Amino acid sequence: MNKNALSFCLYVSCFNDNMFFWILKPNKTIVFRRTRLKESADKVFGNQTFGGSLDLRQDQCEDRSLFSCVSSPLSCKQSHSDSFESLRLIEEEEDENHDSKPLTLADGYNMIVAPVADLLQESEIIIIPDNLLYPIPFAALKDGNGKYLSDTFRIRIVPSLTTLKLIQLSPADYHSKTGALIVGEPEVSDVYYRRKILQLNSLPWARKEAEMIGRLLGVQPLLGKDATKQAVLESMRSVSLIHFAAHGYAERGEIALSPISSRGTPHEEDYLLTMAEISQVRLTAKLVVLSCCHSASGQIRAEGVVGIARAFLASGARAVLAALWAVEDEATMWFMNRFYEHLVRGESASESLHQAMKSMRETGFSDIMQWAPFMLIGDNVTLKGAFDKSSLKDGEGATETKNL
C-alpha cells in the first residue's frame, strides 16, 4: 500500500548470539545486516527485558488486570510482581548487587536500533519484532543523546510478515467508514474463573474514560450492566471504531464484560470475551483500542505473538492500539484524551499516538510507565469523516481530565 511504501520496515530477529535485521526501504530495496550479542538471546531477552520495578501505588491504578486470585480484590502491586516480572523498565543501571546488570533503554537502542540507524530517513518506522523482542517498548528506547525513539519517529508494530502482507492486500473499501462502539467499566464482580471464584474490582476510571471519549466522538458509550457480552458481540460487527476500557486477562488480554445472564455466579462463557469468539466475528473496524491492562500480551508462536490484539486483527480489524503493561488511571485518561483529539481531527492513528506521547512527556506525565505502555499494531488508519468534529472544542477534554 502507498502508506506503507512511505515507511521504513524493519524485521528484527535473534537466534543464539546473533541479531538479524532485514530492512525494507521505501524504494523497495532490501538491506540485510547482522550483529553479535555478548550472550545468547535467551539470556539477554528471555528472563528480563529492561530491569526495574513496575509497582504502581494503589491510588495510581485501579487495576484492569484479570488474574486467578480467589475471592479478593487485586492490587496493582500483586499483578506486576506475580505476572509481569519479565517486562521491566529503567533508564539507568541498577545497583551492583545483581549478578548481571539488567538492560537499560539505552542498551535496547544500541542492540536493536543503532545497527540500522544510518538507514532511518523516513518519519515512520514499521517494526516486525520476532519472538523475544515483541514485549519491548520500542517508543521508549533511548539513543546516546538521551532522545527517545518516539521523539523523532512515529512507530508501528506488525506481529508478523504474514500480517503485514494481509494488511497490504486488504481492499481499501472493506472497512466501515462510520460508527463507534465505546465500552466502559462493564458490571462484573464475583465470577467463576478457572474453577475458582474471582472478585473483580470496579473500574470507575474506566467509566470516566469511556464517557470522556463518548463526548469527544458524540457517541453514547456502553457502560456498566449495559456492556454485556451479547451487546458487545452484536455491536462490534459494523462500526469503524471499537474502544474497550475494562479488565484484561494478563496472559492473552481477553476481556471481562457484563454477564449475559444473571443466573448465579457467572462462568467464563457468560462474561469473558475470548479470542475464539472474536475470531468468529467478521469485523469491519478500522481501529480497535484496548485500554485494558496487558492487552498487548500473548503467547509466542512461529508467526509472532498470539493474543487478543492479534485476534482482532485476524477478524478484520485494520489496526489495534494495545497496552504492554498495567496502566495508570489519570495518565491513561490524559493519554486517551490527547489521542482521540488528534484522531477526530483527521490525523492518522500513528500520528495521534506520536502526538499523545509527546504531549504526555510535556505535561507532567514524563515517567515511562505513564506515556509508553500503548503501541499501535497493524496499519496506519485514519477515521476522517467518521464523526462530527463540531462536538470537539480545543482544550475541552484536556481541562476535564486534569480536574477528574
mmCIF file of all heavy atoms in Angstrom, residues 56-69 72-83 185 198-206 245-250 256 291-294 325-329 332:
data_model
loop_
_atom_site.group_PDB
_atom_site.id
_atom_site.type_symbol
_atom_site.label_atom_id
_atom_site.label_comp_id
_atom_site.label_asym_id
_atom_site.label_seq_id
_atom_site.Cartn_x
_atom_site.Cartn_y
_atom_site.Cartn_z
ATOM 1 N N LEU A 56 3.005 0.011 40.945
ATOM 2 C CA LEU A 56 2.303 1.271 40.998
ATOM 3 C C LEU A 56 1.529 1.350 42.305
ATOM 4 O O LEU A 56 1.018 0.360 42.785
ATOM 5 C CB LEU A 56 1.316 1.393 39.828
ATOM 6 C CG LEU A 56 1.890 1.269 38.428
ATOM 7 C CD1 LEU A 56 0.753 1.306 37.418
ATOM 8 C CD2 LEU A 56 2.857 2.388 38.155
ATOM 9 N N ARG A 57 1.419 2.544 42.853
ATOM 10 C CA ARG A 57 0.619 2.702 44.063
ATOM 11 C C ARG A 57 -0.842 2.412 43.727
ATOM 12 O O ARG A 57 -1.311 2.629 42.623
ATOM 13 C CB ARG A 57 0.739 4.130 44.606
ATOM 14 C CG ARG A 57 2.142 4.528 44.996
ATOM 15 C CD ARG A 57 2.107 5.831 45.786
ATOM 16 N NE ARG A 57 1.287 6.852 45.146
ATOM 17 C CZ ARG A 57 1.761 7.718 44.246
ATOM 18 N NH1 ARG A 57 3.023 7.659 43.875
ATOM 19 N NH2 ARG A 57 0.957 8.628 43.718
ATOM 20 N N GLN A 58 -1.602 1.935 44.727
ATOM 21 C CA GLN A 58 -2.999 1.622 44.508
ATOM 22 C C GLN A 58 -3.788 2.845 44.063
ATOM 23 O O GLN A 58 -4.749 2.738 43.303
ATOM 24 C CB GLN A 58 -3.613 1.047 45.799
ATOM 25 C CG GLN A 58 -5.029 0.502 45.630
ATOM 26 C CD GLN A 58 -5.059 -0.700 44.705
ATOM 27 O OE1 GLN A 58 -4.142 -1.509 44.716
ATOM 28 N NE2 GLN A 58 -6.100 -0.828 43.914
ATOM 29 N N ASP A 59 -3.381 4.050 44.506
ATOM 30 C CA ASP A 59 -4.120 5.249 44.105
ATOM 31 C C ASP A 59 -3.772 5.682 42.691
ATOM 32 O O ASP A 59 -4.372 6.600 42.148
ATOM 33 C CB ASP A 59 -3.874 6.399 45.089
ATOM 34 C CG ASP A 59 -2.402 6.828 45.141
ATOM 35 O OD1 ASP A 59 -1.564 6.137 44.543
ATOM 36 O OD2 ASP A 59 -2.118 7.842 45.798
ATOM 37 N N GLN A 60 -2.806 5.034 42.069
ATOM 38 C CA GLN A 60 -2.461 5.345 40.685
ATOM 39 C C GLN A 60 -3.169 4.430 39.707
ATOM 40 O O GLN A 60 -3.342 4.766 38.544
ATOM 41 C CB GLN A 60 -0.952 5.196 40.453
ATOM 42 C CG GLN A 60 -0.097 6.234 41.159
ATOM 43 C CD GLN A 60 1.371 5.963 40.917
ATOM 44 O OE1 GLN A 60 1.838 4.836 41.067
ATOM 45 N NE2 GLN A 60 2.103 6.990 40.534
ATOM 46 N N CYS A 61 -3.555 3.260 40.171
ATOM 47 C CA CYS A 61 -4.032 2.222 39.252
ATOM 48 C C CYS A 61 -5.152 1.425 39.889
ATOM 49 O O CYS A 61 -4.945 0.788 40.912
ATOM 50 C CB CYS A 61 -2.872 1.300 38.884
ATOM 51 S SG CYS A 61 -3.326 -0.070 37.830
ATOM 52 N N GLU A 62 -6.342 1.458 39.281
ATOM 53 C CA GLU A 62 -7.452 0.682 39.815
ATOM 54 C C GLU A 62 -7.350 -0.780 39.391
ATOM 55 O O GLU A 62 -8.141 -1.606 39.823
ATOM 56 C CB GLU A 62 -8.775 1.280 39.340
ATOM 57 C CG GLU A 62 -8.973 1.239 37.835
ATOM 58 C CD GLU A 62 -10.098 2.144 37.366
ATOM 59 O OE1 GLU A 62 -10.674 2.845 38.215
ATOM 60 O OE2 GLU A 62 -10.390 2.169 36.170
ATOM 61 N N ASP A 63 -6.391 -1.085 38.573
ATOM 62 C CA ASP A 63 -6.056 -2.425 38.090
ATOM 63 C C ASP A 63 -7.112 -3.013 37.174
ATOM 64 O O ASP A 63 -8.116 -3.543 37.620
ATOM 65 C CB ASP A 63 -5.787 -3.387 39.250
ATOM 66 C CG ASP A 63 -5.129 -4.663 38.740
ATOM 67 O OD1 ASP A 63 -4.611 -4.648 37.614
ATOM 68 O OD2 ASP A 63 -5.128 -5.661 39.465
ATOM 69 N N ARG A 64 -6.853 -2.934 35.901
ATOM 70 C CA ARG A 64 -7.729 -3.523 34.900
ATOM 71 C C ARG A 64 -7.222 -4.904 34.494
ATOM 72 O O ARG A 64 -7.502 -5.381 33.405
ATOM 73 C CB ARG A 64 -7.826 -2.593 33.684
ATOM 74 C CG ARG A 64 -8.323 -1.218 34.033
ATOM 75 C CD ARG A 64 -8.435 -0.298 32.826
ATOM 76 N NE ARG A 64 -8.648 1.074 33.241
ATOM 77 C CZ ARG A 64 -8.809 2.099 32.429
ATOM 78 N NH1 ARG A 64 -8.759 1.899 31.130
ATOM 79 N NH2 ARG A 64 -8.997 3.317 32.892
ATOM 80 N N SER A 65 -6.454 -5.546 35.391
ATOM 81 C CA SER A 65 -5.902 -6.862 35.113
ATOM 82 C C SER A 65 -6.862 -7.942 35.595
ATOM 83 O O SER A 65 -7.528 -7.796 36.607
ATOM 84 C CB SER A 65 -4.559 -7.052 35.836
ATOM 85 O OG SER A 65 -3.689 -5.989 35.558
ATOM 86 N N LEU A 66 -6.913 -9.050 34.870
ATOM 87 C CA LEU A 66 -7.735 -10.185 35.249
ATOM 88 C C LEU A 66 -6.816 -11.360 35.547
ATOM 89 O O LEU A 66 -6.183 -11.914 34.663
ATOM 90 C CB LEU A 66 -8.701 -10.545 34.105
ATOM 91 C CG LEU A 66 -9.589 -11.761 34.304
ATOM 92 C CD1 LEU A 66 -10.483 -11.580 35.517
ATOM 93 C CD2 LEU A 66 -10.436 -11.989 33.068
ATOM 94 N N PHE A 67 -6.739 -11.733 36.848
ATOM 95 C CA PHE A 67 -5.881 -12.826 37.271
ATOM 96 C C PHE A 67 -6.691 -13.846 38.059
ATOM 97 O O PHE A 67 -7.785 -13.567 38.518
ATOM 98 C CB PHE A 67 -4.722 -12.333 38.142
ATOM 99 C CG PHE A 67 -3.726 -11.512 37.406
ATOM 100 C CD1 PHE A 67 -3.816 -10.137 37.372
ATOM 101 C CD2 PHE A 67 -2.685 -12.120 36.722
ATOM 102 C CE1 PHE A 67 -2.892 -9.371 36.687
ATOM 103 C CE2 PHE A 67 -1.766 -11.361 36.037
ATOM 104 C CZ PHE A 67 -1.868 -9.991 36.017
ATOM 105 N N SER A 68 -6.127 -15.013 38.279
ATOM 106 C CA SER A 68 -6.836 -16.066 39.002
ATOM 107 C C SER A 68 -6.548 -15.979 40.493
ATOM 108 O O SER A 68 -6.005 -16.892 41.092
ATOM 109 C CB SER A 68 -6.420 -17.442 38.468
ATOM 110 O OG SER A 68 -5.010 -17.571 38.496
ATOM 111 N N CYS A 69 -6.927 -14.842 41.114
ATOM 112 C CA CYS A 69 -6.855 -14.704 42.563
ATOM 113 C C CYS A 69 -8.237 -15.012 43.120
ATOM 114 O O CYS A 69 -9.240 -14.598 42.573
ATOM 115 C CB CYS A 69 -6.444 -13.291 42.968
ATOM 116 S SG CYS A 69 -4.777 -12.870 42.417
ATOM 117 N N SER A 72 -10.720 -12.148 46.311
ATOM 118 C CA SER A 72 -10.119 -10.953 46.897
ATOM 119 C C SER A 72 -9.823 -9.954 45.807
ATOM 120 O O SER A 72 -9.398 -10.326 44.718
ATOM 121 C CB SER A 72 -8.823 -11.307 47.632
ATOM 122 O OG SER A 72 -7.869 -11.798 46.745
ATOM 123 N N PRO A 73 -10.056 -8.645 46.093
ATOM 124 C CA PRO A 73 -9.720 -7.642 45.088
ATOM 125 C C PRO A 73 -8.239 -7.674 44.783
ATOM 126 O O PRO A 73 -7.419 -8.012 45.628
ATOM 127 C CB PRO A 73 -10.130 -6.320 45.776
ATOM 128 C CG PRO A 73 -11.111 -6.723 46.826
ATOM 129 C CD PRO A 73 -10.659 -8.082 47.288
ATOM 130 N N LEU A 74 -7.885 -7.309 43.587
ATOM 131 C CA LEU A 74 -6.500 -7.379 43.152
ATOM 132 C C LEU A 74 -5.839 -6.029 43.273
ATOM 133 O O LEU A 74 -6.416 -5.009 42.945
ATOM 134 C CB LEU A 74 -6.439 -7.830 41.691
ATOM 135 C CG LEU A 74 -7.141 -9.148 41.385
ATOM 136 C CD1 LEU A 74 -7.110 -9.390 39.893
ATOM 137 C CD2 LEU A 74 -6.499 -10.275 42.131
ATOM 138 N N SER A 75 -4.613 -6.001 43.730
ATOM 139 C CA SER A 75 -3.855 -4.755 43.768
ATOM 140 C C SER A 75 -2.919 -4.714 42.587
ATOM 141 O O SER A 75 -2.528 -5.740 42.049
ATOM 142 C CB SER A 75 -3.033 -4.663 45.056
ATOM 143 O OG SER A 75 -1.964 -5.582 45.028
ATOM 144 N N CYS A 76 -2.542 -3.509 42.188
ATOM 145 C CA CYS A 76 -1.605 -3.382 41.064
ATOM 146 C C CYS A 76 -0.278 -4.025 41.402
ATOM 147 O O CYS A 76 0.365 -4.619 40.566
ATOM 148 C CB CYS A 76 -1.390 -1.912 40.738
ATOM 149 S SG CYS A 76 -2.831 -1.174 39.969
ATOM 150 N N LYS A 77 0.145 -3.892 42.648
ATOM 151 C CA LYS A 77 1.441 -4.434 43.019
ATOM 152 C C LYS A 77 1.444 -5.944 42.864
ATOM 153 O O LYS A 77 2.411 -6.538 42.398
ATOM 154 C CB LYS A 77 1.779 -4.051 44.462
ATOM 155 C CG LYS A 77 3.184 -4.463 44.861
ATOM 156 C CD LYS A 77 3.575 -3.878 46.206
ATOM 157 C CE LYS A 77 5.015 -4.242 46.571
ATOM 158 N NZ LYS A 77 5.443 -3.656 47.839
ATOM 159 N N GLN A 78 0.322 -6.593 43.233
ATOM 160 C CA GLN A 78 0.238 -8.038 43.048
ATOM 161 C C GLN A 78 0.385 -8.409 41.585
ATOM 162 O O GLN A 78 1.138 -9.291 41.221
ATOM 163 C CB GLN A 78 -1.126 -8.539 43.553
ATOM 164 C CG GLN A 78 -1.241 -8.622 45.070
ATOM 165 C CD GLN A 78 -2.638 -9.055 45.476
ATOM 166 O OE1 GLN A 78 -3.637 -8.558 44.963
ATOM 167 N NE2 GLN A 78 -2.712 -9.966 46.402
ATOM 168 N N SER A 79 -0.341 -7.718 40.736
ATOM 169 C CA SER A 79 -0.340 -8.104 39.334
ATOM 170 C C SER A 79 1.025 -7.919 38.702
ATOM 171 O O SER A 79 1.455 -8.721 37.898
ATOM 172 C CB SER A 79 -1.396 -7.294 38.574
ATOM 173 O OG SER A 79 -1.061 -5.930 38.555
ATOM 174 N N HIS A 80 1.731 -6.844 39.065
ATOM 175 C CA HIS A 80 3.052 -6.620 38.477
ATOM 176 C C HIS A 80 4.055 -7.654 38.951
ATOM 177 O O HIS A 80 4.773 -8.261 38.172
ATOM 178 C CB HIS A 80 3.571 -5.239 38.868
ATOM 179 C CG HIS A 80 2.768 -4.127 38.273
ATOM 180 N ND1 HIS A 80 2.405 -4.097 36.957
ATOM 181 C CD2 HIS A 80 2.271 -3.009 38.837
ATOM 182 C CE1 HIS A 80 1.706 -3.007 36.717
ATOM 183 N NE2 HIS A 80 1.608 -2.336 37.840
ATOM 184 N N SER A 81 4.120 -7.892 40.248
ATOM 185 C CA SER A 81 5.159 -8.765 40.782
ATOM 186 C C SER A 81 4.909 -10.212 40.410
ATOM 187 O O SER A 81 5.835 -10.980 40.221
ATOM 188 C CB SER A 81 5.236 -8.629 42.301
ATOM 189 O OG SER A 81 3.996 -9.005 42.890
ATOM 190 N N ASP A 82 3.627 -10.616 40.287
ATOM 191 C CA ASP A 82 3.327 -12.012 40.032
ATOM 192 C C ASP A 82 3.413 -12.381 38.555
ATOM 193 O O ASP A 82 3.865 -13.460 38.211
ATOM 194 C CB ASP A 82 1.913 -12.363 40.532
ATOM 195 C CG ASP A 82 1.833 -12.308 42.046
ATOM 196 O OD1 ASP A 82 2.903 -12.285 42.680
ATOM 197 O OD2 ASP A 82 0.711 -12.273 42.577
ATOM 198 N N SER A 83 2.958 -11.513 37.668
ATOM 199 C CA SER A 83 2.773 -11.930 36.293
ATOM 200 C C SER A 83 3.480 -11.091 35.253
ATOM 201 O O SER A 83 3.411 -11.402 34.084
ATOM 202 C CB SER A 83 1.275 -11.961 35.969
ATOM 203 O OG SER A 83 0.628 -12.923 36.752
ATOM 204 N N GLU A 185 -16.187 0.159 31.891
ATOM 205 C CA GLU A 185 -16.500 -0.438 33.195
ATOM 206 C C GLU A 185 -17.697 -1.393 33.138
ATOM 207 O O GLU A 185 -18.738 -1.164 33.750
ATOM 208 C CB GLU A 185 -16.761 0.628 34.251
ATOM 209 C CG GLU A 185 -16.713 0.062 35.664
ATOM 210 C CD GLU A 185 -17.293 0.982 36.725
ATOM 211 O OE1 GLU A 185 -17.995 1.953 36.394
ATOM 212 O OE2 GLU A 185 -17.042 0.715 37.905
ATOM 213 N N LEU A 198 -13.566 -15.538 41.478
ATOM 214 C CA LEU A 198 -12.703 -14.362 41.402
ATOM 215 C C LEU A 198 -13.551 -13.117 41.608
ATOM 216 O O LEU A 198 -14.625 -12.976 41.025
ATOM 217 C CB LEU A 198 -12.032 -14.309 40.030
ATOM 218 C CG LEU A 198 -11.230 -13.061 39.673
ATOM 219 C CD1 LEU A 198 -9.975 -12.988 40.538
ATOM 220 C CD2 LEU A 198 -10.861 -13.065 38.200
ATOM 221 N N GLN A 199 -13.094 -12.227 42.457
ATOM 222 C CA GLN A 199 -13.802 -10.970 42.689
ATOM 223 C C GLN A 199 -13.053 -9.858 41.968
ATOM 224 O O GLN A 199 -11.912 -9.544 42.287
ATOM 225 C CB GLN A 199 -13.890 -10.663 44.189
ATOM 226 C CG GLN A 199 -14.720 -9.424 44.508
ATOM 227 C CD GLN A 199 -14.710 -9.102 45.984
ATOM 228 O OE1 GLN A 199 -13.675 -8.706 46.525
ATOM 229 N NE2 GLN A 199 -15.841 -9.297 46.638
ATOM 230 N N LEU A 200 -13.709 -9.250 41.004
ATOM 231 C CA LEU A 200 -13.082 -8.190 40.225
ATOM 232 C C LEU A 200 -13.420 -6.825 40.795
ATOM 233 O O LEU A 200 -14.551 -6.566 41.194
ATOM 234 C CB LEU A 200 -13.551 -8.260 38.768
ATOM 235 C CG LEU A 200 -13.217 -9.546 38.009
ATOM 236 C CD1 LEU A 200 -13.737 -9.456 36.588
ATOM 237 C CD2 LEU A 200 -11.726 -9.792 38.007
ATOM 238 N N ASN A 201 -12.434 -5.954 40.815
ATOM 239 C CA ASN A 201 -12.652 -4.590 41.271
ATOM 240 C C ASN A 201 -13.541 -3.822 40.304
ATOM 241 O O ASN A 201 -13.567 -4.094 39.105
ATOM 242 C CB ASN A 201 -11.316 -3.833 41.373
ATOM 243 C CG ASN A 201 -10.406 -4.399 42.441
ATOM 244 O OD1 ASN A 201 -10.874 -4.978 43.413
ATOM 245 N ND2 ASN A 201 -9.118 -4.238 42.248
ATOM 246 N N SER A 202 -14.259 -2.840 40.830
ATOM 247 C CA SER A 202 -14.947 -1.900 39.947
ATOM 248 C C SER A 202 -13.905 -0.997 39.300
ATOM 249 O O SER A 202 -12.787 -0.853 39.801
ATOM 250 C CB SER A 202 -15.953 -1.059 40.738
ATOM 251 O OG SER A 202 -15.285 -0.312 41.747
ATOM 252 N N LEU A 203 -14.261 -0.377 38.177
ATOM 253 C CA LEU A 203 -13.320 0.427 37.403
ATOM 254 C C LEU A 203 -13.908 1.812 37.117
ATOM 255 O O LEU A 203 -14.232 2.137 35.968
ATOM 256 C CB LEU A 203 -12.971 -0.274 36.086
ATOM 257 C CG LEU A 203 -12.352 -1.665 36.178
ATOM 258 C CD1 LEU A 203 -12.222 -2.271 34.786
ATOM 259 C CD2 LEU A 203 -10.996 -1.608 36.863
ATOM 260 N N PRO A 204 -14.051 2.656 38.147
ATOM 261 C CA PRO A 204 -14.649 3.986 37.917
ATOM 262 C C PRO A 204 -13.865 4.838 36.930
ATOM 263 O O PRO A 204 -14.442 5.630 36.186
ATOM 264 C CB PRO A 204 -14.674 4.611 39.319
ATOM 265 C CG PRO A 204 -13.660 3.830 40.115
ATOM 266 C CD PRO A 204 -13.697 2.451 39.564
ATOM 267 N N TRP A 205 -12.535 4.693 36.901
ATOM 268 C CA TRP A 205 -11.740 5.476 35.956
ATOM 269 C C TRP A 205 -11.984 5.007 34.525
ATOM 270 O O TRP A 205 -11.949 5.805 33.586
ATOM 271 C CB TRP A 205 -10.264 5.393 36.301
ATOM 272 C CG TRP A 205 -9.865 6.318 37.396
ATOM 273 C CD1 TRP A 205 -9.865 6.060 38.745
ATOM 274 C CD2 TRP A 205 -9.410 7.670 37.263
ATOM 275 N NE1 TRP A 205 -9.436 7.151 39.452
ATOM 276 C CE2 TRP A 205 -9.142 8.162 38.555
ATOM 277 C CE3 TRP A 205 -9.201 8.503 36.179
ATOM 278 C CZ2 TRP A 205 -8.679 9.444 38.793
ATOM 279 C CZ3 TRP A 205 -8.730 9.793 36.403
ATOM 280 C CH2 TRP A 205 -8.483 10.253 37.701
ATOM 281 N N ALA A 206 -12.222 3.716 34.357
ATOM 282 C CA ALA A 206 -12.539 3.202 33.027
ATOM 283 C C ALA A 206 -13.868 3.777 32.545
ATOM 284 O O ALA A 206 -14.039 4.095 31.366
ATOM 285 C CB ALA A 206 -12.597 1.677 33.054
ATOM 286 N N ALA A 245 -12.573 -0.177 27.707
ATOM 287 C CA ALA A 245 -11.923 0.218 28.957
ATOM 288 C C ALA A 245 -12.463 -0.725 30.017
ATOM 289 O O ALA A 245 -13.532 -0.497 30.599
ATOM 290 C CB ALA A 245 -12.236 1.668 29.307
ATOM 291 N N ALA A 246 -11.740 -1.826 30.238
ATOM 292 C CA ALA A 246 -12.268 -2.921 31.055
ATOM 293 C C ALA A 246 -11.114 -3.766 31.594
ATOM 294 O O ALA A 246 -9.945 -3.491 31.348
ATOM 295 C CB ALA A 246 -13.206 -3.786 30.206
ATOM 296 N N HIS A 247 -11.488 -4.819 32.345
ATOM 297 C CA HIS A 247 -10.488 -5.768 32.829
ATOM 298 C C HIS A 247 -9.938 -6.595 31.668
ATOM 299 O O HIS A 247 -10.696 -7.048 30.799
ATOM 300 C CB HIS A 247 -11.114 -6.741 33.848
ATOM 301 C CG HIS A 247 -11.347 -6.153 35.194
ATOM 302 N ND1 HIS A 247 -10.327 -5.816 36.050
ATOM 303 C CD2 HIS A 247 -12.495 -5.851 35.847
ATOM 304 C CE1 HIS A 247 -10.824 -5.332 37.186
ATOM 305 N NE2 HIS A 247 -12.144 -5.342 37.083
ATOM 306 N N GLY A 248 -8.617 -6.819 31.652
ATOM 307 C CA GLY A 248 -7.984 -7.650 30.635
ATOM 308 C C GLY A 248 -7.176 -8.772 31.275
ATOM 309 O O GLY A 248 -6.523 -8.579 32.294
ATOM 310 N N TYR A 249 -7.233 -9.940 30.668
ATOM 311 C CA TYR A 249 -6.512 -11.117 31.162
ATOM 312 C C TYR A 249 -5.033 -10.965 30.827
ATOM 313 O O TYR A 249 -4.662 -10.723 29.686
ATOM 314 C CB TYR A 249 -7.119 -12.357 30.503
ATOM 315 C CG TYR A 249 -6.446 -13.667 30.796
ATOM 316 C CD1 TYR A 249 -5.874 -13.940 32.028
ATOM 317 C CD2 TYR A 249 -6.422 -14.652 29.827
ATOM 318 C CE1 TYR A 249 -5.284 -15.157 32.275
ATOM 319 C CE2 TYR A 249 -5.835 -15.877 30.057
ATOM 320 C CZ TYR A 249 -5.259 -16.124 31.288
ATOM 321 O OH TYR A 249 -4.668 -17.338 31.528
ATOM 322 N N ALA A 250 -4.172 -11.096 31.833
ATOM 323 C CA ALA A 250 -2.752 -10.770 31.683
ATOM 324 C C ALA A 250 -2.017 -11.673 30.698
ATOM 325 O O ALA A 250 -1.048 -11.259 30.082
ATOM 326 C CB ALA A 250 -2.045 -10.823 33.037
ATOM 327 N N ALA A 256 -13.107 -8.955 30.217
ATOM 328 C CA ALA A 256 -14.256 -9.262 31.065
ATOM 329 C C ALA A 256 -15.373 -8.262 30.800
ATOM 330 O O ALA A 256 -15.191 -7.055 30.942
ATOM 331 C CB ALA A 256 -13.854 -9.230 32.535
ATOM 332 N N SER A 291 -7.947 -0.422 25.974
ATOM 333 C CA SER A 291 -7.470 0.281 27.155
ATOM 334 C C SER A 291 -7.669 -0.614 28.368
ATOM 335 O O SER A 291 -8.394 -0.295 29.314
ATOM 336 C CB SER A 291 -8.222 1.609 27.326
ATOM 337 O OG SER A 291 -7.683 2.354 28.390
ATOM 338 N N CYS A 292 -7.024 -1.759 28.304
ATOM 339 C CA CYS A 292 -7.080 -2.780 29.350
ATOM 340 C C CYS A 292 -5.639 -3.154 29.685
ATOM 341 O O CYS A 292 -4.775 -3.153 28.806
ATOM 342 C CB CYS A 292 -7.812 -4.030 28.873
ATOM 343 S SG CYS A 292 -9.376 -3.732 28.005
ATOM 344 N N CYS A 293 -5.379 -3.487 30.922
ATOM 345 C CA CYS A 293 -4.022 -3.878 31.294
ATOM 346 C C CYS A 293 -3.589 -5.107 30.492
ATOM 347 O O CYS A 293 -4.361 -6.040 30.298
ATOM 348 C CB CYS A 293 -3.945 -4.193 32.786
ATOM 349 S SG CYS A 293 -4.221 -2.758 33.853
ATOM 350 N N HIS A 294 -2.348 -5.090 30.009
ATOM 351 C CA HIS A 294 -1.723 -6.234 29.345
ATOM 352 C C HIS A 294 -2.406 -6.629 28.033
ATOM 353 O O HIS A 294 -2.279 -7.766 27.590
ATOM 354 C CB HIS A 294 -1.702 -7.460 30.270
ATOM 355 C CG HIS A 294 -1.358 -7.161 31.684
ATOM 356 N ND1 HIS A 294 -0.105 -6.733 32.070
ATOM 357 C CD2 HIS A 294 -2.105 -7.200 32.819
ATOM 358 C CE1 HIS A 294 -0.097 -6.539 33.386
ATOM 359 N NE2 HIS A 294 -1.293 -6.797 33.849
ATOM 360 N N TRP A 325 1.587 -3.196 29.507
ATOM 361 C CA TRP A 325 1.581 -3.471 30.943
ATOM 362 C C TRP A 325 0.370 -2.814 31.597
ATOM 363 O O TRP A 325 -0.479 -2.226 30.925
ATOM 364 C CB TRP A 325 2.882 -2.990 31.594
ATOM 365 C CG TRP A 325 3.230 -1.557 31.350
ATOM 366 C CD1 TRP A 325 2.668 -0.456 31.926
ATOM 367 C CD2 TRP A 325 4.234 -1.068 30.449
ATOM 368 N NE1 TRP A 325 3.245 0.681 31.456
ATOM 369 C CE2 TRP A 325 4.216 0.350 30.543
ATOM 370 C CE3 TRP A 325 5.151 -1.671 29.595
ATOM 371 C CZ2 TRP A 325 5.079 1.155 29.804
ATOM 372 C CZ3 TRP A 325 5.993 -0.860 28.851
ATOM 373 C CH2 TRP A 325 5.972 0.526 28.966
ATOM 374 N N ALA A 326 0.272 -2.912 32.928
ATOM 375 C CA ALA A 326 -0.822 -2.282 33.666
ATOM 376 C C ALA A 326 -0.689 -0.773 33.576
ATOM 377 O O ALA A 326 0.402 -0.221 33.697
ATOM 378 C CB ALA A 326 -0.814 -2.741 35.126
ATOM 379 N N VAL A 327 -1.812 -0.101 33.347
ATOM 380 C CA VAL A 327 -1.785 1.336 33.071
ATOM 381 C C VAL A 327 -2.310 2.138 34.262
ATOM 382 O O VAL A 327 -3.166 1.684 35.006
ATOM 383 C CB VAL A 327 -2.619 1.665 31.814
ATOM 384 C CG1 VAL A 327 -1.967 1.056 30.586
ATOM 385 C CG2 VAL A 327 -4.059 1.163 31.957
ATOM 386 N N GLU A 328 -1.769 3.345 34.420
ATOM 387 C CA GLU A 328 -2.228 4.251 35.467
ATOM 388 C C GLU A 328 -3.536 4.919 35.063
ATOM 389 O O GLU A 328 -3.810 5.135 33.890
ATOM 390 C CB GLU A 328 -1.177 5.339 35.721
ATOM 391 C CG GLU A 328 0.077 4.855 36.391
ATOM 392 C CD GLU A 328 0.988 6.006 36.783
ATOM 393 O OE1 GLU A 328 0.516 7.168 36.809
ATOM 394 O OE2 GLU A 328 2.168 5.754 37.049
ATOM 395 N N ASP A 329 -4.323 5.300 36.079
ATOM 396 C CA ASP A 329 -5.642 5.853 35.834
ATOM 397 C C ASP A 329 -5.602 7.227 35.177
ATOM 398 O O ASP A 329 -6.057 7.406 34.055
ATOM 399 C CB ASP A 329 -6.415 5.955 37.159
ATOM 400 C CG ASP A 329 -6.549 4.607 37.819
ATOM 401 O OD1 ASP A 329 -6.697 3.616 37.099
ATOM 402 O OD2 ASP A 329 -6.499 4.547 39.060
ATOM 403 N N THR A 332 -3.695 7.428 31.872
ATOM 404 C CA THR A 332 -4.408 6.836 30.738
ATOM 405 C C THR A 332 -5.534 7.739 30.270
ATOM 406 O O THR A 332 -5.783 7.875 29.061
ATOM 407 C CB THR A 332 -4.952 5.443 31.117
ATOM 408 O OG1 THR A 332 -3.865 4.618 31.540
ATOM 409 C CG2 THR A 332 -5.632 4.780 29.927
#
